[in-house]
Amino acid sequence: MIRQEIVGILRSHLMEFGYEYDFVVEIPEEQFGDFSTNIALVGAKYFKKPPKEIAKDFVEKFSGHRMFKEVTIAGPGFINFKVSNEFYRDFLTKFIQNPYSVWNFKRHGSILMEYGSANPTGPLTVGHGRQVVIGDVLGNVFKFTGWEVTKEMYLNDAGRQIRLLAKSVWARYNQLLGYDEPIPEDGYNGEYVVDIARHVIADHNDEYFKIWNDDVESVFKSYALNEISRMFDTTLEKIGANFDNVFKESSLVNDGTVKEVLTILESKGLVYEEDGALWFRASRFVNDNDKVLIKNDGSYTYFLTDIAYHYKKYKRGYNIAVDIFGSDHHGHLPRMYAAMKALDIPEDFLMFVLHQFVTLKRGDEIVKMSTRAGEFVTLDELIDEVGKDAARYFFAMVDVNTHLNFDLELAKSKTDENPVFYVQYAHARISSLFENAKAKGINFIPRENIELLENESEMRIIKQISLFDEILERVTEKLSPHYLADYLEKLASLFHKYYAENKIVDTDNMRLSNARLNLAFAVRRVLSEGLNLIGISALERM
RNA sequence: GCGGCUGUAGCUCAAUAGGAUAGAGCAUCGGACUUCUAAUCCGAGGGUUGUGGGUUCGAGUCCCGCCAGCCGCGCCA
């Protein structure tokens, strides 16, 4: 917020000088000030003057400006700003009165977030967990910053994999009834497959023993789907993922969207037949090979239904669609962009977040997760072991592009090795301050005595508070939630330090106590908003 | 072979559109609880940013080559 103001002022001064070019206002190392700009350095080639002289011209314009305590030139020509205490105190007062008056969120459009999409053929994995948390947090932040958000999960209930699962369940069903039917090749081996078979037996006894046809397949398919959906729901609830909608692949076939898309592509001459299959001319739009839409056995590829899904997303009126996948799906991107172009859907409609993989560790030991052998650690087990808060925090705390090393021992530990509690503790600490104040007969009055705040650490904290909206914007621009976690840790750290150095509740100095409680109050507000967005609990007491 | 991501302190990670002396946490070592919660705080050590070139006032960041790791390159999803 403050940064935007500085940018604005600088830009208008730049225009007065008769120039227009890009520059940055950033937060430098503390010794240099609160904010800093390279406007004079970048301007050298336009002004045709040395950066330091240009800087001087700018600095003159700032003399006597109420917002700043100091504007100086340093190094090769940086202009450094030190914001006045008065300005910070005004900011704090406004913030406490109504945070939304200082949070600079515009009204944005509508956005459809798709994530956690999985074949309903087995339990959600740890990898899905990362994806779900990234999606959930991004969705929360988008909503908070003024977007209309729909969080959606796509269920691939129409393809070959779900049929394989049905057949696998049927094989287990026969085995349970005493016939040694082998699991199909590429089938599913996990224990949950046996559980589903048990359900079928409970309801139908040996009705389908050694009988396999299309009708039987659809029976087993629906048992499998129901069971797996229930498993998904349980797990998703445990990790606190709030989907607005589950979208079934099969609905695109049933409501004719797939056909509609095929018709459009055909009418544009973008499909052709070869080897008994129907192909899409992806190579016309992107640097990739053509792709199959309909296989030679007449069934649809995942690609075709996914095109239909995205066509439908666009038709549903969203401004932007964000898809979150594991990085193993990056091969899917070019063909999707090609399809969007083919359907005349604007280029900036579809955005992807590809997150890197998760490695589970127990101390130094890597935990093997092999899906085929059915010996994976499921997301469910992970949450049971480390808890929702730790799981979410760990998934949200690193850049989506960074391979995540998830240390189970660390996530579980209740010691200060664990970064999860740091922020929560700051929140709990402040809550206890207020209890303490109350017990000592200090009656907290919002916005009173703020003029008594004057030391460096107090100003640092207010500055950090003032950066909240900008950090959230960054989360949505860069599509990575880790900026928020970093921010909250920094704020918590500043507060812990402040707490250690200053007595906040002090009956010998009631007015100062009230001033400091105001500051603590604002910190707690930001912490709880931030923790909320990440989806972990803001505790009153620890 | 081609493509995507990654390589930063012993470990896990940051570094805000190319900015100033590359920062945190953990671990290690040394301090701080008769005083608002020590799940905290203070201090110390720890680096040729994988490697070799290039671009410029300035490179962890951009370009080219090389090395290493992960992931793709299906009529799987």
Side-chain angles (χ1 to χ4, degrees):
Chain A
M1 183 232 178
I2 299 177
R3 187 205 301 250
Q4 270 78 17
E5 280 190 43
I6 298 175
V7 169
I9 297 170
L10 284 170
R11 190 169 289 143
S12 71
H13 288 164
L14 192 56
M15 277 166 70
E16 285 169 31
F17 288 125
Y19 300 102
E20 206 177 338
Y21 54 79
D22 288 341
F23 56 91
V24 293
V25 171
E26 58 180 6
I27 295 163
E29 270 182 63
E30 209 159 77
Q31 51 165 323
F32 297 119
D34 294 321
F35 295 90
S36 164
T37 181
N38 65 353
I39 196 166
L41 290 165
V42 187
K45 61 182 161 195
Y46 301 96
F47 282 80
K48 306 222 166 48
K49 287 205 294 192
K52 284 192 178 182
E53 281 182 39
I54 302 168
K56 213 176 282 175
D57 295 342
F58 276 99
V59 170
E60 274 172 27
K61 295 246 178 200
F62 281 97
S63 76
H65 198 294
R66 185 187 157 279
M67 186 168 168
F68 305 104
K69 186 192 290 179
E70 217 176 53
V71 182
T72 52
I73 303 166
F78 290 100
I79 301 171
N80 295 326
F81 301 89
K82 195 122 185 64
V83 174
S84 68
N85 291 4
E86 193 186 8
F87 185 91
Y88 278 136
R89 288 190 288 251
D90 285 353
F91 176 89
L92 181 64
T93 307
K94 277 191 251 169
F95 178 91
I96 290 171
Q97 174 146 37
N98 176 15
Y100 287 91
S101 71
V102 296
W103 287 336
N104 190 17
F105 301 130
K106 306 175 202 78
R107 179 166 308 180
H108 292 97
S110 61
I111 186 163
L112 180 72
M113 310 274 311
E114 179 203 339
Y115 55 92
S117 300
N119 273 323
T121 52
L124 292 170
T125 63
V126 171
H128 291 123
R130 183 171 193 192
Q131 189 178 128
V132 165
V133 170
I134 290 170
D136 197 51
V137 177
L138 287 182
N140 291 344
V141 176
F142 269 115
K143 196 172 285 183
F144 195 84
T145 57
W147 290 80
E148 206 176 292
V149 178
T150 303
K151 298 173 177 175
E152 189 160 284
M153 183 173 187
Y154 185 54
L155 210 58
N156 302 118
D157 64 340
R160 171 172 173 262
Q161 298 302 326
I162 184 70
R163 289 205 306 275
L164 261 173
L165 175 64
K167 190 79 187 271
S168 304
V169 174
W170 183 74
R172 287 298 195 192
Y173 169 84
N174 278 280
Q175 290 172 13
L176 286 171
L177 293 173
Y179 176 69
D180 192 20
E181 172 74 26
I183 305 280
E185 204 174 327
D186 296 331
Y188 292 87
N189 286 295
E191 190 58 29
Y192 63 94
V193 179
V194 182
D195 291 340
I196 301 170
R198 284 204 184 94
H199 275 93
V200 182
I201 291 175
D203 290 350
H204 294 276
N205 219 324
D206 61 355
E207 190 177 340
Y208 309 109
F209 188 54
K210 294 198 202 177
I211 301 169
W212 183 251
N213 55 40
D214 285 356
D215 291 340
V216 176
E217 183 186 87
S218 66
V219 169
F220 278 81
K221 214 195 231 180
S222 87
Y223 267 91
L225 266 175
N226 282 339
E227 268 318 290
I228 303 256
S229 296
R230 198 169 12 229
M231 282 165 56
F232 279 10
D233 289 348
T234 310
T235 307
L236 291 171
E237 198 185 322
K238 260 192 213 175
I239 202 162
N242 308 300
F243 282 98
D244 298 308
N245 200 17
V246 173
F247 195 97
K248 288 186 175 176
E249 183 184 13
S250 55
S251 76
L252 294 161
V253 181
N254 298 335
D255 74 0
T257 308
V258 172
K259 281 270 175 348
E260 191 180 341
V261 163
L262 280 170
T263 308
I264 297 172
L265 295 177
E266 267 163 30
S267 73
K268 293 187 168 189
L270 294 172
V271 300
Y272 61 92
E273 275 189 57
E274 195 174 294
D275 301 329
L278 190 74
W279 296 71
F280 169 60
R281 295 187 195 277
S283 60
R284 186 169 292 187
F285 302 96
V286 292
N287 183 21
D288 199 355
N289 298 325
D290 291 348
K291 300 290 169 190
V292 169
L293 299 173
I294 302 179
K295 305 177 216 169
N296 62 15
D297 67 358
S299 63
Y300 299 151
T301 59
Y302 164 79
F303 178 46
L304 173 56
T305 50
D306 207 33
I307 296 174
Y309 182 28
H310 285 81
Y311 175 75
K312 183 104 182 184
K313 285 182 186 174
Y314 186 64
K315 287 281 178 192
R316 285 157 75 193
Y318 290 100
N319 300 114
I320 287 179
V322 174
D323 289 8
I324 304 177
F325 295 128
S327 63
D328 55 335
H329 280 64
H330 76 256
H332 191 54
L333 273 55
R335 72 191 73 153
M336 284 307 292
Y337 286 130
M340 295 300 98
K341 278 187 196 163
L343 294 169
D344 296 316
I345 293 172
E347 216 162 309
D348 53 3
F349 175 69
L350 179 58
M351 297 197 293
F352 288 99
V353 177
L354 293 183
H355 66 85
Q356 294 299 308
F357 276 38
V358 180
T359 305
L360 275 192
K361 286 191 172 170
R362 206 174 281 284
D364 288 334
E365 195 189 335
I366 292 176
V367 180
K368 289 241 167 64
M369 292 184 288
S370 150
T371 320
R372 276 281 162 254
E375 61 175 37
F376 39 56
V377 174
T378 63
L379 177 56
D380 220 56
E381 290 163 350
L382 177 80
I383 305 165
D384 286 344
E385 181 164 347
V386 307
K388 179 183 104 165
D389 286 352
R392 286 188 71 107
Y393 191 85
F394 272 65
F395 285 134
M397 75 180 177
V398 298
D399 191 319
V400 296
N401 276 321
T402 300
H403 189 106
L404 176 61
N405 279 298
F406 196 119
D407 187 333
L408 289 164
E409 295 304 325
L410 180 61
K412 244 191 332 188
S413 75
K414 292 273 188 272
T415 69
D416 55 3
E417 293 169 16
N418 192 336
V420 181
F421 300 115
Y422 191 79
V423 178
Q424 290 181 311
Y425 183 49
H427 185 275
R429 210 171 214 186
I430 294 172
S431 299
S432 116
L433 276 176
F434 277 91
E435 276 180 32
N436 188 264
K438 206 173 184 181
K440 289 186 176 157
I442 296 178
N443 199 9
F444 172 59
I445 308 167
R447 286 173 287 140
E448 290 285 306
N449 309 114
I450 285 179
E451 70 281 357
L452 297 177
L453 298 177
E454 59 183 4
N455 70 40
E456 277 292 317
S457 18
E458 286 158 347
M459 296 308 126
R460 265 197 285 267
I461 291 172
I462 300 174
K463 175 182 170 188
Q464 185 71 6
I465 292 171
S466 78
L467 297 175
F468 187 58
D469 56 347
E470 158 175 343
I471 292 298
L472 296 182
E473 297 279 3
R474 189 180 306 161
V475 167
T476 60
E477 273 165 31
K478 305 272 180 179
L479 296 169
S480 185
H482 77 281
Y483 296 103
L484 178 55
D486 276 2
Y487 169 86
L488 293 175
E489 276 182 43
K490 181 76 198 293
L491 180 60
S493 158
L494 288 173
F495 187 79
H496 283 312
K497 191 174 296 210
Y498 178 65
Y499 176 93
E501 286 169 0
N502 300 277
K503 191 151 178 70
I504 294 172
V505 175
D506 181 1
T507 43
D508 293 337
N509 200 336
M510 302 292 263
R511 288 170 61 243
L512 185 60
S513 294
N514 192 62
R516 289 179 167 173
L517 282 171
N518 266 281
L519 182 61
F521 180 84
V523 171
R524 183 173 60 174
R525 175 67 191 264
V526 174
L527 290 176
S528 81
E529 295 287 1
L531 288 169
N532 238 318
L533 290 168
I534 297 178
I536 66 185
S537 33
L539 306 168
E540 299 292 313
R541 194 184 289 272
M542 288 174 75

